[in-house]
Amino acid sequence: MAKTRVLVEFGMGTSLRREDYTEAARRAIKDALWHNSVSMAELFDFQKEDMIIEAEIGVQKPEAVDAEALLEIFPYGQPSIRVVEGGLDIGKPHGGRTVIANAAVVVSFDMEAAE
């Protein structure tokens, strides 16, 4: 397979009150996706289902993210989620924290399939 990267988008998401790492990650992925208005599949004459989508999420507590739940964000393509240590936890003066997640979403295609 000649997997070729055609797009990288970045996003940031937060959980301001609930310390919900999955929700912060969901918002970061959506933020990254909403930056892109280019129809990559059509541009390369592929079907949307041919998109290989790799999302990498950075949060302070990767084990607190439900990666399976994040897959539902993608309406098509072949998504995968990787959660790593990153992002920020910002302490609040009276306890608790704001959770910040960062996301990188990479879209690729198997260019050999087009030949």
Side-chain angles (χ1 to χ4, degrees):
M1 175 169 81
K3 184 170 91 170
T4 303
R5 178 185 291 191
V6 296
L7 176 76
V8 179
E9 285 290 354
F10 304 97
M12 191 267 302
T14 62
S15 176
L16 299 174
R17 294 175 194 85
R18 294 183 293 135
E19 299 180 32
D20 186 332
Y21 289 86
T22 300
E23 188 59 32
R26 180 185 317 281
R27 290 174 177 160
I29 291 171
K30 286 183 175 183
D31 183 46
L33 293 175
W34 288 192
H35 287 156
N36 178 1
S37 63
V38 178
S39 297
M40 282 292 128
E42 295 168 3
L43 185 64
F44 291 97
D45 201 29
F46 282 101
Q47 298 296 312
K48 290 179 181 180
E49 292 75 23
D50 296 326
M51 296 171 66
I52 302 165
I53 305 167
E54 298 167 297
E56 186 165 334
I57 310 299
V59 293
Q60 286 291 296
K61 294 184 179 179
E63 68 281 0
V65 175
D66 181 353
E68 286 294 314
L70 299 175
L71 292 172
E72 68 190 28
I73 296 170
F74 302 95
Y76 42 75
Q78 305 161 38
S80 64
I81 306 283
R82 180 171 172 242
V83 185
V84 300
E85 190 170 338
L88 289 171
D89 283 353
I90 308 297
K92 295 180 182 180
H94 303 291
R97 66 184 141 252
T98 294
V99 173
I100 302 175
N102 296 104
V105 177
V106 177
V107 176
S108 305
F109 290 99
D110 175 2
M111 292 301 185
E112 287 181 358
E115 296 175 359

